[in-house]
Amino acid sequence: MRTLSSRPGRRRLAVLAAIVGLSFACQAEESSTTTPVADASTGEGGAGGAGATDQDRDGYSVDDGDCDDTTARVHPEQREICGDGVDQNCDGDDPPCDDDRDGFSEADGDCDDTEWSINPEALETCDDGVDQDCDGADLACDAVDNDGDQWSVAEGDCDDAKPFVYPGAPERCGDGNDDDCDGEDPLCPDADRDADGIDDTVDVCPDIADALQSDLDGDGVGDFCDNCLEARNPDQADADDNGRGDACDGNVDTDMDGFTGLMGDCDDADPTSYPGAEESCDGAVDNDCNGFPNDGCPSDVRSALIAIPGGETLLGSTDAVPADCAGDPAMRDENCDELPQRTIVLSPFEIEATEVTHRQYAYCVSLGRCSPPYRNESLPTSLHHEDPAYADHPVVFVSQGQAATYCAFAGRRLPTEAEWERAARGSTPLEPHRYPWGDAEPDCARSNLARCRPGTERVGTRPGDVTPQGVKDLGGNIKEMTSGYYSATWYGTLRDGQMDPQPPDMRGDRDVISVRGGAYETQAAFSTITYRGFGALMGARDRRPEVGFRCVR
């Protein structure tokens, strides 16, 4: 007799057998049609080598920087766990732990890494039994100078709450204090006219009470009775009896050379130095008081000056369309700042024939009057200032302030934009032309532009880059700084016939200065005599490898 459950059970077994058979058939078919994959344990069987295999399946192979491809907890993006002996992020280091998060680990010298207030830069609290700054000892309170007189109790200060009490301090007799810490307070002698407790024989100001004995210039005369506080004047000489000592009275001819300080005597202690004196050519003394030592001497390293006559001159160009510039506040046309072209009037001036060189600038540095150019070991061109092979190349990597300082040292100044452009216009200041030599397009035979050379060259090298008056290198070699600040709309504020226009002396909205002329890496279109450096403007403190300067007088 059949039971009710016997037939369904057989059907289920039959269905299961069919499914298993179909699965084996599919696997056999797949294995016969697919490409073998690499064995994760051996790296064999795939297209790549062992180094391209990600054995621990963390997304990084050895070639990707996985320094331990046997564990997924180590790969280049893993978070590092300090001090566990494992380099989780594969950067080559297992950093020590900073348990108290004070910025110092035990390896950094933290002597207690459980307390954040203890580390090598912590402020030490004296006599508390704790070495807060990890220097190996607790600071003794008697080693601290509490009153700021440069003496502590350990050094002999007998009252570290009074700044006028310390070993060697002026003793004020009979005041109840042992001011000099010698163990006694002496009785006052009869010779103490100002009754300040200090014997007149040692009192720096015996007629005016001054318990502190202040003498800032150290000339032995106390400040309360010194007739020249800013300069040593021990004999208190006052030739004109005006109450101001000769050492600091500009209206006294101390050295008897016929000139006082107010008359321009630059050293009233040296009778060979006064306005108009003949230079001694000794290398350091400015005998004629014009600001530059040895001018006119064989050792005068300054550039020769070229005279530029005064009169009318053009300023700016007509290279841009005024209507386009008016509708373009951003001034995407780089010539818009050359509008409108003006006819102005300049006073006569002189301009240096060449740009200031490394040799000339180094002389100013050697006398302590100029600061050195920017220097960076990883930037070879910044080291040219120290290389004799570049001594006669234009100095670069100086700021506008450094340039102005050199010019003042040389008895000169930076040119205005108008003066620079006037010098570049040569002998025809009212005729428009593009370059210092005329309208002929520049080439490498004429000017150091457009990478004719990889860098600077000796000043005055290219005979074609010169004006009829003899001013050289206005077209190329390096760009040149001018005085004042840049304003794209400055020409619009000028009027025709204006005399000696000065550039803005305050920072504008762009806080930059103008640079003129071309440089070794500049294309000809950006090297014209009217181009104001729109694409190369720089901050007044910037220092660049292609920007230098020359001076005028």
Side-chain angles (χ1 to χ4, degrees):
M1 183 174 70
R2 294 178 295 182
T3 64
L4 293 177
S5 63
S6 62
R7 183 171 295 175
R10 291 192 188 97
R11 281 200 296 269
R12 283 194 293 270
L13 288 173
V15 171
L16 180 60
I19 292 172
V20 171
L22 179 60
S23 173
F24 279 113
C26 291
Q27 290 178 4
E29 182 178 357
E30 181 178 356
S31 64
S32 67
T33 60
T34 57
T35 301
V37 298
D39 186 340
S41 64
T42 66
E44 299 176 352
T53 303
D54 179 16
Q55 297 186 31
D56 54 10
R57 302 182 185 278
D58 59 4
Y60 294 87
S61 66
V62 173
D63 287 351
D64 297 325
D66 195 332
C67 52
D68 187 350
D69 208 28
T70 64
T71 172
R73 290 178 296 176
V74 176
H75 56 75
E77 296 295 328
Q78 183 62 277
R79 182 176 179 181
E80 186 71 37
I81 300 174
C82 65
D84 65 348
V86 179
D87 179 16
Q88 281 90 356
N89 64 2
C90 296
D91 65 352
D93 182 36
D94 176 34
C97 293
D98 177 18
D99 293 333
D100 56 10
R101 301 181 183 276
D102 59 4
F104 295 86
S105 66
E106 290 182 359
D108 297 323
D110 195 331
C111 51
D112 185 348
D113 208 29
T114 64
E115 173 55 55
W116 66 269
S117 63
I118 297 177
N119 59 68
E121 292 188 1
L123 184 66
E124 185 75 26
T125 302
C126 65
D127 284 346
D128 65 347
V130 180
D131 178 18
Q132 281 92 353
D133 61 4
C134 296
D135 66 351
D138 178 28
L139 177 66
C141 288
D142 64 3
V144 178
D145 175 22
N146 292 304
D147 56 10
D149 59 8
Q150 311 302 313
W151 292 83
S152 66
V153 172
E155 295 170 323
D157 194 331
C158 51
D159 189 340
D160 206 31
K162 297 177 180 178
F164 55 85
V165 175
Y166 55 85
E171 183 69 55
R172 292 169 296 176
C173 61
D175 64 351
N177 291 313
D178 178 16
D179 302 291
D180 59 5
C181 296
D182 66 351
E184 62 179 17
D185 175 32
L187 297 175
C188 291
D190 294 335
D192 180 16
R193 297 194 299 272
D194 55 12
D196 59 3
I198 300 174
D199 193 316
D200 290 346
T201 59
V202 295
D203 196 334
V204 295
C205 190
D207 294 313
I208 301 177
D210 178 15
L212 296 179
Q213 296 289 280
S214 54
D215 180 17
L216 293 178
D217 59 11
D219 61 1
V221 181
D223 294 341
F224 287 149
C225 49
D226 195 338
N227 65 9
C228 185
L229 290 173
E230 60 267 36
R232 294 173 61 87
N233 190 30
D235 60 3
Q236 297 292 283
D238 182 11
D240 57 4
D241 200 26
N242 66 352
R244 185 165 177 78
D246 293 346
C248 51
D249 191 341
N251 201 33
V252 174
D253 180 16
T254 305
D255 56 12
M256 305 299 291
D257 58 10
F259 291 86
T260 67
L262 294 179
M263 297 168 65
D265 195 331
C266 53
D267 186 351
D268 205 36
D270 180 4
T272 68
S273 296
Y274 52 86
E278 183 177 354
E279 287 285 1
S280 61
C281 299
D282 60 357
V285 178
D286 177 21
N287 297 97
D288 61 4
C289 294
N290 69 350
F292 185 82
N294 299 335
D295 50 312
C297 299
S299 59
D300 189 345
V301 299
R302 296 174 299 176
S303 298
L305 290 168
I306 304 295
I308 305 298
E312 291 187 334
T313 181
L314 293 178
L315 178 66
S317 74
T318 58
D319 289 347
V321 178
D324 293 344
C325 294
D328 182 14
M331 287 197 172
R332 287 184 290 272
D333 185 336
E334 297 199 359
N335 299 117
C336 286
D337 62 359
E338 300 170 25
L339 297 180
Q341 188 179 64
R342 298 293 193 190
T343 300
I344 60 170
V345 181
L346 291 179
S347 300
F349 64 96
E350 297 172 300
I351 189 167
E352 291 180 334
T354 59
E355 296 135 340
V356 175
T357 66
H358 287 291
R359 185 192 308 276
Q360 294 164 338
Y361 192 85
Y363 178 58
C364 183
V365 173
S366 71
L367 296 179
R369 300 282 295 276
C370 293
S371 58
Y374 171 75
R375 185 183 190 280
N376 188 325
E377 290 284 353
S378 63
L379 195 60
T381 53
S382 73
L383 307 180
H384 289 174
H385 184 65
E386 303 165 5
D387 188 343
Y390 292 90
D392 295 317
H393 287 228
V395 67
V396 291
F397 284 112
V398 292
S399 66
Q400 186 191 50
Q402 288 176 298
T405 297
Y406 171 86
C407 288
F409 160 74
R412 301 167 184 181
R413 59 177 173 81
L414 282 175
T416 65
E417 281 198 72
E419 288 171 331
W420 190 97
E421 187 171 320
R422 167 63 187 90
R425 290 185 178 277
S427 57
T428 55
L430 293 175
E431 295 180 13
H433 52 88
R434 296 181 61 77
Y435 304 103
W437 54 83
D439 288 319
E441 287 297 313
D443 54 33
C444 292
R446 182 186 294 277
S447 185
N448 183 17
L449 281 173
R451 300 201 176 277
C452 291
R453 279 179 50 86
T456 61
E457 63 186 2
R458 287 170 58 96
V459 297
T461 296
R462 311 278 172 139
D465 190 355
V466 61
T467 68
Q469 285 93 350
V471 186
K472 303 174 182 179
D473 296 336
L474 291 171
N477 209 12
I478 57 166
K479 301 180 180 75
E480 300 180 17
M481 288 178 277
T482 56
S483 64
Y485 287 91
Y486 168 87
S487 168
T489 58
W490 178 48
Y491 290 5
T493 68
L494 306 179
R495 66 181 187 279
D496 286 332
Q498 187 163 339
M499 186 77 179
D500 294 327
Q502 299 297 308
D505 59 0
M506 297 182 64
R507 298 176 177 88
D509 56 348
R510 300 183 65 179
D511 191 15
V512 288
I513 64 174
S514 175
V515 291
R516 291 299 202 119
Y520 58 85
E521 40 72 58
T522 310
Q523 295 301 314
F526 307 122
S527 305
T528 64
I529 63 173
T530 58
Y531 188 68
R532 302 179 62 201
F534 184 88
L537 299 171
M538 58 183 279
R541 296 184 179 180
D542 290 349
R543 294 171 288 185
R544 292 185 180 173
E546 81 286 1
V547 179
F549 67 99
R550 73 179 75 211
C551 309
V552 298
R553 185 176 70 181

